[in-house]
């Protein structure tokens, strides 16, 4: 049965879920939140450096162009962040094994040690956020988030397939939006 202006309880549930996820993602990706979480472990890095260290520790050495794409920033910003990390002894420039003319950025041993402090910081964050939750509530949250993650990854793969196939449906939709 519709509520108010034709909205059903299911519509309201979806809207509430989107609002909650948007607030969480916004907060977790906010510069002050990100730097504050790692600062609790004694690490003082800017948000861009935190993101680059995280990417290099989980995905391995990368060319600047790939880092730029993955970090959703420009090549000059990636270069500046990498320079700061290299000056701090956390990253280094290495030869690209696939192309001797190119280079990649990689973490040093100190960089990997800093990345491991991010894991401790994340564990502390989870402990703080779930303080007072019962083991059953924690298990339920984990199962639900893992299920949401699987659904998200499957949908992302569908988007990727549609984007790379160059479907005419996508081109029609794009024209309709932009005209």
């Amino acid at each position: 049965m519709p509520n108010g202006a034709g909205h059903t309880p299911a519509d309201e549930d979806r809207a509430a879920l989107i609002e909650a996820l948007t607030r969480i993602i916004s907060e977790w990706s906010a510069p002050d939140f990100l730097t504050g979480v790692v600062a609790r472990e004694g690490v003082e890095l800017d948000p861009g450096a935190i993101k680059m260290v995280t990417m290099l520790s989980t995905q391995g050495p990368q060319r600047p162009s790939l880092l730029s794409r993955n970090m959703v920033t420009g090549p000059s910003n990636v270069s500046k962040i990498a320079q700061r990390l290299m000056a701090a002894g956390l990253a280094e420039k290495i030869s690209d094994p696939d192309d001797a003319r190119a280079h990649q950025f990689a973490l040093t041993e100190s960089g990997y040690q800093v990345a491991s402090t991010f894991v401790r910081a994340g564990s502390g964050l989870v402990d703080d956020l779930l303080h007072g939750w019962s083991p059953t509530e924690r298990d339920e949250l984990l199962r639900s988030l893992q299920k949401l993650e699987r659904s998200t990854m499957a949908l992302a793969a569908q988007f990727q397939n549609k984007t790379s196939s160059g479907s005419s449906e996508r081109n029609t939709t794009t024209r309709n939006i932009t005209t």
Side-chain angles (χ1 to χ4, degrees):
M1 214 175 224
N3 288 340
H7 295 287
T8 66
D11 291 335
E12 292 173 11
D13 288 347
R14 284 190 291 272
L17 175 65
I18 290 168
E19 287 176 30
L21 287 173
T22 300
R23 282 192 308 271
I24 291 167
I25 291 167
S26 294
E27 196 60 46
W28 282 36
S29 58
D32 289 343
F33 188 87
L34 190 59
T35 57
V37 169
V38 300
R40 296 184 335 168
E41 290 294 325
V43 176
E44 298 291 332
L45 289 175
D46 61 88
I50 293 168
K51 194 170 189 179
M52 188 178 286
V53 167
T54 300
M55 288 186 169
L56 293 175
S57 72
T58 59
Q59 300 168 8
Q62 294 182 37
R63 285 186 180 187
S65 58
L66 181 58
L67 275 169
S68 179
R69 241 185 342 268
N70 289 338
M71 293 178 64
V72 192
T73 191
S76 65
N77 194 36
V78 163
S79 180
K80 290 174 189 173
I81 295 167
Q83 291 299 322
R84 289 194 303 270
L85 290 174
M86 288 189 295
L90 302 178
E92 62 187 344
K93 195 183 286 191
I94 62 172
S95 295
D96 186 326
D98 298 327
D99 183 351
R101 300 166 296 168
H103 71 274
Q104 297 178 331
F105 292 115
L107 291 181
T108 62
E109 183 60 38
S110 295
Y112 279 107
Q113 289 172 3
V114 166
S116 72
T117 65
F118 294 174
V119 174
R120 284 194 306 275
S123 293
L125 174 64
V126 169
D127 289 344
D128 288 347
L129 292 172
L130 302 183
H131 179 76
W133 290 41
S134 72
T136 301
E137 290 171 320
R138 287 173 178 243
D139 289 344
E140 183 180 316
L141 175 64
L142 178 59
R143 279 192 305 278
S144 295
L145 285 175
Q146 288 171 332
K147 189 174 183 177
L148 181 61
E149 178 188 22
R150 286 189 299 274
S151 298
T152 299
M153 300 313 288
L155 186 58
Q158 288 177 11
F159 290 156
Q160 181 64 34
N161 289 338
K162 286 181 181 179
T163 301
S164 61
S165 72
S167 74
S168 61
E169 178 183 319
R170 185 186 82 243
N171 294 335
T172 301
T173 303
T174 302
R175 274 193 304 277
N176 291 339
I177 291 171
T178 58
T179 57

